[in-house]
């Protein structure tokens, strides 16, 4: 079967750094997305990785290791507005998106 | 541009009733998707379409039907609603194939089946 694992919930402090991990076991791999979803709202795109390495975009970075089936999202200089769920999704060999259950990030002052 | 819109935003149904959810996009995207999102679970694909006049089943298609008569619209139908279909439904559109192309989501429809 296909499986994507993320921690259910994480807590971090405003101004700090947090790393959200995602491990996947899928039939094939054609890319990995990270989306942000605020409570009661739709997911919005954060990043896309298809090659190994780090992609940086402002305060957010995403890392991929295809050999380990592993990715992480790194959020720096945390702000209260970063409180949200972060969804990891993998494109499998059939070019279907397989979604993780998401990690709820709680930011404390 | 409105992006992706969904109608209605909220709905309460009784078991056995039928309804249609409408998704519209003004970005000329080829691919459109219907997902459901339940607490503690990832987004699950119900049906999708790779172009006008085409539809295909996703991971959880039972109890739902879809149509894509116009490129900009993707309709999701529930013929006989069941309490297990209580969920938040999201529509999404993509410019082309998923690889490398972000999905744009509508605001969601919150459906309760009593």
């Amino acid at each position: 079967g296909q499986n994507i694992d993320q921690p259910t919930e994480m807590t971090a402090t405003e101004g700090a750094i947090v790393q959200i991990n995602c491990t996947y076991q899928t039939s094939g791999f054609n890319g990995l997305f990270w989306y942000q979803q605020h409570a009661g709202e739709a997911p919005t795109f954060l990043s896309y990785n298809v090659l190994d390495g780090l992609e940086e975009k402002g305060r957010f970075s995403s890392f991929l290791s295809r050999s380990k089936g592993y990715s992480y999202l790194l959020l720096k200089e945390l702000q209260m507005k970063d409180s949200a769920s972060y969804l990891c999704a993998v494109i499998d060999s059939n070019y279907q998106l397989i979604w993780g259950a998401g990690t709820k990030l709680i930011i404390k002052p | 541009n409105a992006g992706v819109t969904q109608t209605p935003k909220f709905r309460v149904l009784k078991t056995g009733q039928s309804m249609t959810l409408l998704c519209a996009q003004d970005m000329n995207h080829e691919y459109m998707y219907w997902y459901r999102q339940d607490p503690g679970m990832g987004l699950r694909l119900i049906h999708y379409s790779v172009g006008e006049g085409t539809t295909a089943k996703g991971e959880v298609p039972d109890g739902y039907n879809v149509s894509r008569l116009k490129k900009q619209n993707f309709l999701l139908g529930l013929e006989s609603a069941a309490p297990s279909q209580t969920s938040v439904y999201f529509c999404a559109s993509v410019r082309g194939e998923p690889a490398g192309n972000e999905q744009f989501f509508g605001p969601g429809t919150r459906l309760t089946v009593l």
Side-chain angles (χ1 to χ4, degrees):
Chain A
Q2 311 212 79
N3 194 51
I4 296 183
D5 286 320
Q6 305 179 234
T8 302
E9 187 174 297
M10 299 181 70
T11 301
T13 305
E14 189 177 16
I17 299 173
V18 70
Q19 177 175 311
I20 302 174
N21 296 326
C22 170
T23 57
Y24 61 89
Q25 293 175 310
T26 56
S27 58
F29 176 87
N30 285 296
L32 184 146
F33 289 93
W34 283 97
Y35 280 78
Q36 180 189 60
Q37 185 177 25
H38 285 102
E41 298 183 8
T44 54
F45 170 80
L46 284 178
S47 67
Y48 174 72
N49 295 70
V50 65
L51 300 176
D52 289 352
L54 189 69
E55 295 279 344
E56 296 185 82
K57 192 185 293 186
R59 295 190 297 115
F60 293 8
S61 302
S62 56
F63 172 84
L64 174 67
S65 169
R66 289 173 296 171
S67 62
K68 295 182 179 178
Y70 167 70
S71 173
Y72 68 72
L73 182 69
L74 191 71
L75 290 74
K76 303 177 184 176
E77 302 170 11
L78 286 170
Q79 302 175 8
M80 297 304 293
K81 67 178 182 180
D82 297 329
S83 292
S85 289
Y86 291 86
L87 314 179
C88 174
V90 171
I91 305 172
D92 69 8
S93 57
N94 293 321
Y95 290 92
Q96 296 296 330
L97 223 58
I98 311 300
W99 295 83
T103 298
K104 182 178 180 180
L105 179 63
I106 299 168
I107 309 297
K108 295 185 175 181
Chain B
N1 285 352
V4 181
T5 58
Q6 290 183 232
T7 310
K9 288 186 169 53
F10 302 92
R11 187 72 185 269
V12 178
L13 289 179
K14 294 181 179 179
T15 297
Q17 286 184 319
S18 63
M19 77 165 294
T20 300
L21 283 69
L22 171 63
C23 176
Q25 54 94 3
D26 61 2
M27 296 173 284
N28 202 35
H29 284 174
E30 291 294 332
Y31 286 49
M32 296 185 75
Y33 301 83
W34 275 108
Y35 293 99
R36 60 177 290 172
Q37 188 175 39
D38 301 295
M41 302 183 73
L43 290 163
R44 291 186 291 169
L45 183 63
I46 303 171
H47 286 279
Y48 65 100
S49 168
V50 301
E52 181 179 316
T54 74
T55 63
K57 294 180 180 180
E59 178 188 358
V60 289
D62 293 343
Y64 306 94
N65 57 73
V66 288
S67 65
R68 184 118 181 253
L69 299 179
K70 294 183 179 181
K71 186 176 184 178
Q72 63 267 36
N73 295 337
F74 195 28
L75 278 63
L76 178 71
L78 286 73
E79 290 186 348
S80 180
S84 61
Q85 294 178 303
T86 293
S87 187
V88 179
Y89 291 85
F90 286 104
C91 174
S93 71
V94 184
R95 180 180 63 186
E97 288 191 359
N101 290 309
E102 69 174 278
Q103 298 203 359
F104 292 83
F105 285 84
T109 295
R110 283 144 186 82
L111 176 65
T112 301
V113 183
L114 301 175

